[in-house]
Amino acid sequence: MWNREIKLSIFGESHGNGIGAVLDNLPPGEEIDMEQLLAFLARRAPQNGKAGSTARTEADTPEILSGLLDGRTTGAPLCAIIRNTNTRSGDYGNISSLARPGHADFTGHIRYEGFNDVRGGGHFSGRLTAPLVFAGAVCGQILERRGIYTAVHILSIHGVQDTPFDTVHPDLQAAAEVKRKSFPVLDNRQGERMQVEIERARLGQNSVGGVVECMVTGVPAGIGSPMFEGMENDIASIVFGIPAVRGLEFGTGFAAAKLTGIEHNDGFYSEDGQVKTKTNHHGGILGGITSGMPIHFKVAFKPTASISLEQDTIDYKNNTNQKLVIKGRHDSCIVPRAVPVVEAAANIAVLSQLLQHHKG
Ligand SMILES: Cc1cc2nc3c(=O)[nH]c(=O)nc-3n(C[C@H](O)[C@H](O)[C@H](O)COP(=O)(O)O)c2cc1C
């Protein structure tokens, strides 16, 4: 469970009856536009023909069990279930006790003493990001009503770079357009190059990773806390809940270590009564508290673990050395589908911090 001012519980297994989310402590009376919500979920869903995407297609339509009445939040826990309809567990028969390198089969088996549902990755499956996206889509609508907007795109795939966001003077129109693209990049030519990389990986029965860039605009200065309950902490804890995340950088991130103070410090100035900075190396957060500049972070995703090339592994039931060839259906790159997941994570963390602030 993600247990902050907002509480989020995600349940289900990839090949069980369904998956879902319980979202607690939302403000009451918030209108939720279902059409907009479904459009958000559709951005994460596997799509036939989309570069690198798994052939598993599913409607991903959430059924709301509680917390919403006449299109508005009631203040009671918002619970949604998404039924699993397209499961072919037979594909996974040959890997039932062969640990997929890079996946959670071995660690999950040890942790749950062999009782966990391994079909399709069980509770470790990327499919569990659908309820996360549901929760983030709801939070996003509440934030947008307060002038807060989350922008996301693919920054790179296997080293091919998109144009980064301008995090000082954000172009919100371009940010809105990128969300409507089936391959969400700012520079379509670079997007085509990325898709070539993904296709090359697929043909080689291999996979590639990449980076998603996220920027949240309109968050007022003064939201957050120092040390353990800051804005960075909450974003980090939910972002690391996304499967396959390997790194997170706020603002200039690791590159800050190579700069001098005068290069890295963002000079303040006042304009129309508002305090701003000329650059945004700090990623909109200082001391765990928002500065009023766009919150900015990047998330690194590893290459998809399930690849069809032969790999060394063990049979975790009898500890024998084995060779593994994965059949199944897998994304050769999960990054395009992870873009709305990162947006959802940001929405949940930022709304939670905002509600905490207003409560205080
Ligand atoms: C949207 C999305 C889809 C994913 N699809 C797959 C997949 O098809 N095959 C796979 O091996 N991993 C996939 N993953 C990643 C695994 O779920 C993840 O690597 C695994 O649970 C181990 O967790 P870890 O990588 O965080 O350590 C996906 C992740 C996301 C965010």
Side-chain angles (χ1 to χ4, degrees):
M1 181 196 279
W2 193 75
N3 191 6
R4 301 292 198 278
E5 183 57 25
I6 285 181
K7 293 163 200 332
L8 173 64
S9 206
I10 289 186
F11 62 87
E13 283 136 338
S14 178
H15 286 49
N17 287 333
I19 53 179
V22 183
L23 194 55
D24 205 356
N25 257 0
L26 289 178
E30 292 288 342
E31 206 173 320
I32 302 301
D33 181 328
M34 282 312 282
E35 210 172 300
Q36 215 180 309
L37 193 140
L38 291 177
F40 198 142
L41 271 162
R43 287 166 52 211
R44 190 219 67 96
Q47 286 166 27
N48 279 330
K50 187 166 174 175
S53 185
T54 166
R56 178 176 176 173
T57 52
E58 226 141 6
D60 275 358
T61 310
E63 186 188 324
I64 313 270
L65 301 185
S66 69
L68 201 71
L69 188 66
D70 298 331
R72 285 179 189 272
T73 54
T74 62
L78 178 65
C79 176
I81 183 168
I82 300 168
R83 308 252 174 217
N84 291 331
T85 52
N86 186 354
T87 53
R88 284 195 341 207
S89 298
D91 283 348
Y92 298 89
N94 71 333
I95 55 159
S96 58
S97 58
L98 295 185
R100 284 170 296 172
H103 217 293
D105 305 328
F106 170 67
T107 52
H109 176 78
I110 301 292
R111 170 69 176 81
Y112 296 107
E113 300 170 7
F115 289 102
N116 53 315
D117 181 354
V118 296
R119 297 169 304 161
H123 192 63
F124 296 97
S125 166
R127 180 148 175 74
L128 272 291
T129 56
L132 182 66
V133 167
F134 166 83
V138 169
C139 294
Q141 291 191 23
I142 298 172
L143 287 174
E144 280 188 31
R145 204 163 290 137
R146 287 154 177 77
I148 295 171
Y149 185 78
T150 303
V152 271
H153 74 127
I154 302 170
L155 183 63
S156 70
I157 284 180
H158 203 222
V160 181
Q161 298 281 332
D162 190 19
T163 311
F165 281 138
D166 181 338
T167 65
V168 178
H169 305 289
D171 181 346
L172 291 185
Q173 198 181 329
E177 274 166 25
V178 87
K179 287 189 193 178
R180 287 193 286 272
K181 295 183 185 179
S182 62
F183 197 84
V185 283
L186 294 168
D187 180 341
N188 292 336
R189 276 189 28 221
Q190 288 304 88
E192 280 163 24
R193 289 189 184 119
M194 291 177 192
Q195 290 177 73
V196 168
E197 286 297 317
I198 296 172
E199 182 58 9
R200 187 175 296 145
R202 191 185 70 78
L203 293 173
Q205 301 182 321
N206 210 340
S207 62
V208 286
V211 175
V212 174
E213 185 178 43
C214 182
M215 167 175 73
V216 189
T217 63
V219 183
I223 311 295
S225 299
M227 294 193 81
F228 308 121
E229 291 170 13
M231 185 62 90
E232 284 146 321
N233 306 59
D234 279 9
I235 291 173
S237 74
I238 197 156
V239 161
F240 276 109
I242 304 171
V245 167
R246 274 297 162 268
L248 172 61
E249 287 187 333
F250 287 93
T252 309
F254 272 61
K258 294 189 203 129
L259 300 178
T260 63
I262 197 67
E263 288 166 332
H264 184 260
N265 289 348
D266 301 304
F268 286 108
Y269 69 101
S270 176
E271 189 178 71
D272 304 326
Q274 223 191 326
V275 175
K276 297 182 178 175
T277 60
K278 291 179 181 167
T279 47
N280 191 4
H281 297 297
H282 69 290
I285 306 171
L286 293 165
I289 301 168
T290 54
S291 67
M293 291 299 288
I295 296 174
H296 175 224
F297 62 91
K298 290 175 262 181
V299 185
F301 284 86
K302 70 188 195 184
T304 322
S306 307
I307 53 172
S308 302
L309 288 173
E310 186 180 90
Q311 299 174 83
D312 288 325
T313 192
I314 44 100
D315 183 325
Y316 52 70
K317 286 203 172 135
N318 54 25
N319 257 349
T320 53
N321 291 316
Q322 301 284 346
K323 295 282 181 196
L324 171 67
V325 176
I326 299 172
K327 288 183 188 145
R329 300 160 292 178
H330 307 281
D331 288 358
S332 40
C333 183
I334 60 164
V335 178
R337 295 181 55 212
V339 169
V341 185
V342 170
E343 178 180 343
N347 288 346
I348 297 162
V350 171
L351 180 62
S352 184
Q353 281 280 350
L354 208 65
L355 295 174
Q356 171 76 39
H357 179 81
H358 290 304
K359 197 171 110 181

